Coordinates of all heavy atoms in Angstrom, one line a residue:
R1 N -12.8 -12.4 -9.1 CA -13.4 -11.1 -8.9 C -12.4 -10.0 -8.5 O -11.5 -10.3 -7.6 CB -14.4 -11.2 -7.8 CG -15.8 -11.7 -8.2 CD -16.8 -11.7 -7.0 NE -18.0 -12.4 -7.3 CZ -19.0 -12.7 -6.5 NH1 -18.7 -12.4 -5.2 NH2 -20.1 -13.3 -6.8
L2 N -12.3 -8.9 -9.1 CA -11.5 -7.8 -8.9 C -12.4 -6.7 -8.3 O -12.8 -5.7 -8.9 CB -10.8 -7.3 -10.1 CG -9.8 -6.1 -9.8 CD1 -8.8 -6.2 -8.8 CD2 -9.3 -5.7 -11.2
Q3 N -12.7 -6.8 -7.0 CA -13.8 -5.8 -6.4 C -13.1 -4.9 -5.3 O -13.8 -4.0 -4.8 CB -14.8 -6.7 -5.6 CG -15.9 -7.4 -6.7 CD -16.8 -6.5 -7.1 OE1 -16.6 -5.3 -7.2 NE2 -17.8 -6.9 -7.7
S4 N -11.8 -5.1 -5.1 CA -11.3 -4.2 -3.9 C -10.0 -3.5 -4.4 O -9.3 -3.9 -5.2 CB -10.8 -5.2 -2.6 OG -12.0 -5.7 -2.1
M5 N -10.0 -2.3 -3.8 CA -8.8 -1.4 -3.9 C -8.5 -0.8 -2.6 O -9.2 -0.2 -1.8 CB -9.1 -0.2 -4.9 CG -8.0 0.8 -5.1 SD -8.5 2.3 -6.0 CE -8.7 1.6 -7.6
A6 N -7.2 -0.9 -2.3 CA -6.6 -0.6 -0.9 C -5.9 0.8 -1.2 O -4.6 0.6 -1.5 CB -5.9 -1.7 -0.3
V7 N -6.4 1.8 -0.9 CA -5.6 3.1 -1.0 C -5.7 3.8 0.4 O -4.6 4.2 0.9 CB -6.1 3.9 -2.1 CG1 -5.4 5.4 -2.1 CG2 -5.9 3.4 -3.4
T8 N -6.8 4.1 0.9 CA -7.2 4.9 2.0 C -6.4 4.4 3.3 O -6.5 3.2 3.5 CB -8.5 5.1 2.3 OG1 -9.3 5.6 1.1 CG2 -8.7 6.0 3.4
E9 N -5.9 5.2 4.2 CA -5.2 4.8 5.4 C -5.9 5.5 6.6 O -6.3 6.8 6.4 CB -3.8 5.1 5.4 CG -3.1 4.2 4.3 CD -1.6 4.1 4.3 OE1 -1.0 4.9 5.1 OE2 -1.0 3.3 3.5
P10 N -5.9 5.1 7.7 CA -6.6 5.6 8.9 C -5.9 7.1 9.3 O -6.7 8.0 9.8 CB -6.4 4.7 10.0 CG -5.2 3.7 9.6 CD -5.3 3.7 8.2
T11 N -4.6 7.2 9.1 CA -4.0 8.5 9.4 C -3.8 9.5 8.4 O -3.5 10.7 8.6 CB -2.6 8.3 10.2 OG1 -1.8 7.6 9.1 CG2 -2.8 7.4 11.5
T12 N -4.0 9.1 7.1 CA -3.7 10.2 6.0 C -5.0 10.3 5.3 O -5.1 11.3 4.5 CB -2.6 9.5 5.0 OG1 -3.1 8.2 4.6 CG2 -1.4 9.5 5.7
G13 N -6.0 9.4 5.3 CA -7.3 9.8 4.6 C -7.1 9.9 3.1 O -6.4 9.1 2.4
T14 N -7.5 11.1 2.6 CA -7.4 11.4 1.2 C -6.2 12.1 0.9 O -5.9 12.5 -0.2 CB -8.6 12.4 0.7 OG1 -8.8 13.4 1.7 CG2 -9.8 11.5 0.7
D15 N -5.3 12.3 2.0 CA -3.8 12.8 1.7 C -3.0 11.6 1.1 O -2.1 11.2 1.7 CB -3.3 13.5 3.0 CG -2.1 14.2 2.7 OD1 -1.7 14.5 1.4 OD2 -1.6 14.9 3.6
T16 N -3.3 11.1 0.0 CA -2.8 9.9 -0.5 C -1.3 9.8 -0.7 O -0.7 8.6 -0.2 CB -3.4 9.6 -1.8 OG1 -5.0 9.6 -1.7 CG2 -3.0 8.2 -2.3
T17 N -0.7 11.0 -1.1 CA 0.8 10.8 -1.2 C 1.5 10.7 0.1 O 2.7 10.4 0.0 CB 1.2 12.1 -1.9 OG1 0.9 13.4 -1.1 CG2 0.6 12.2 -3.3
K18 N 0.9 10.9 1.2 CA 1.7 10.7 2.5 C 1.3 9.4 3.2 O 1.5 9.1 4.3 CB 1.3 11.8 3.5 CG 1.8 13.2 3.0 CD 1.5 14.3 4.0 CE 2.0 15.6 3.5 NZ 1.6 16.7 4.5
L19 N 0.6 8.4 2.4 CA 0.3 7.2 2.9 C 1.6 6.4 3.5 O 2.7 6.7 3.0 CB -0.4 6.3 1.9 CG 0.4 5.9 0.6 CD1 1.3 4.7 0.8 CD2 -0.7 5.4 -0.4
K20 N 1.4 5.6 4.4 CA 2.5 5.1 5.2 C 2.8 3.6 4.9 O 3.7 3.0 5.4 CB 2.4 5.3 6.7 CG 2.3 6.8 7.2 CD 2.1 6.8 8.7 CE 2.1 8.3 9.2 NZ 1.2 9.1 8.4
T21 N 1.9 2.9 4.3 CA 2.1 1.4 3.8 C 3.3 1.4 2.9 O 3.4 2.2 1.8 CB 0.8 0.9 3.2 OG1 -0.2 1.0 4.2 CG2 1.1 -0.5 2.8
T22 N 4.3 0.6 3.3 CA 5.5 0.4 2.4 C 5.6 -0.9 1.7 O 5.0 -1.9 2.2 CB 6.6 0.6 3.3 OG1 6.8 -0.4 4.4 CG2 6.8 2.1 3.8
A23 N 6.1 -0.9 0.5 CA 6.6 -2.2 -0.1 C 8.1 -2.0 -0.4 O 8.5 -1.2 -1.4 CB 5.7 -2.3 -1.3
V24 N 8.7 -2.9 0.2 CA 10.3 -2.9 0.1 C 10.7 -4.1 -0.8 O 10.3 -5.3 -0.6 CB 11.0 -3.0 1.3 CG1 12.5 -3.0 1.2 CG2 10.5 -1.8 2.3
K25 N 11.5 -3.9 -1.8 CA 11.9 -4.9 -2.9 C 13.0 -5.7 -2.1 O 14.0 -5.3 -1.7 CB 12.5 -4.3 -4.1 CG 12.9 -5.3 -5.2 CD 11.6 -5.8 -5.9 CE 12.1 -6.8 -6.9 NZ 12.8 -6.2 -8.1
K26 N 12.7 -7.1 -2.1 CA 13.8 -8.0 -1.6 C 13.8 -9.1 -2.5 O 13.0 -10.0 -2.6 CB 13.4 -8.4 -0.1 CG 13.4 -7.4 0.9 CD 13.2 -7.9 2.3 CE 13.3 -6.7 3.3 NZ 13.0 -7.2 4.7
G27 N 14.9 -9.2 -3.4 CA 15.0 -10.3 -4.4 C 13.9 -10.1 -5.4 O 13.7 -9.0 -6.0
D28 N 13.2 -11.1 -5.6 CA 12.0 -11.2 -6.5 C 10.7 -10.9 -6.0 O 9.7 -11.2 -6.6 CB 12.1 -12.5 -7.3 CG 11.8 -13.7 -6.4 OD1 11.8 -13.5 -5.2 OD2 11.5 -14.8 -7.0
R29 N 10.7 -10.3 -4.8 CA 9.5 -10.1 -4.2 C 9.4 -8.7 -3.4 O 10.5 -8.1 -3.2 CB 9.1 -11.1 -3.1 CG 9.3 -12.6 -3.5 CD 8.9 -13.6 -2.5 NE 7.6 -13.9 -2.3 CZ 6.8 -14.5 -3.3 NH1 7.4 -15.1 -4.4 NH2 5.5 -14.8 -3.1
Y30 N 8.2 -8.1 -3.2 CA 8.0 -6.9 -2.4 C 7.5 -7.4 -1.1 O 6.5 -8.2 -0.9 CB 7.1 -6.0 -3.0 CG 7.7 -5.3 -4.3 CD1 7.7 -5.9 -5.6 CD2 8.3 -4.1 -4.2 CE1 8.2 -5.3 -6.7 CE2 8.9 -3.4 -5.2 CZ 8.8 -3.9 -6.5 OH 9.4 -3.3 -7.6
V31 N 8.0 -6.7 -0.1 CA 7.4 -7.0 1.3 C 6.8 -5.8 1.8 O 7.2 -4.7 2.0 CB 8.6 -7.3 2.4 CG1 8.1 -7.7 3.8 CG2 9.5 -8.6 1.8
V32 N 5.4 -6.0 2.2 CA 4.5 -5.0 2.6 C 4.3 -4.9 4.1 O 4.0 -6.0 4.5 CB 3.2 -5.1 1.7 CG1 2.2 -4.1 2.0 CG2 3.5 -5.2 0.1
N33 N 4.2 -3.7 4.5 CA 3.8 -3.4 5.9 C 3.1 -2.1 5.9 O 3.4 -1.1 5.3 CB 5.2 -3.3 6.9 CG 5.9 -4.6 7.1 OD1 5.4 -5.5 8.0 ND2 6.9 -4.9 6.3

C-alpha cells in the first residue's frame, strides 16, 4: 500500500520550500533528519 506522503512540517506548514527535513548523501545512501 502506498497511502502516505510526508511533506508538511510543524514550523513551515504550506511554506513547503522552507522545509527543514534534510537528506544528506553518504555513499550509496541518503541520511534523513
Side-chain angles (χ1 to χ4, degrees):
R1 283 181 182 168
L2 175 58
Q3 287 280 17
S4 289
M5 175 187 286
V7 175
T8 305
E9 297 187 357
T11 59
T12 56
T14 48
D15 194 0
T16 304
T17 58
K18 293 182 182 177
L19 61 79
K20 296 179 174 59
T21 298
T22 60
V24 179
K25 184 76 179 294
K26 293 185 178 180
D28 62 351
R29 311 182 81 75
Y30 286 86
V31 179
V32 180
N33 285 281

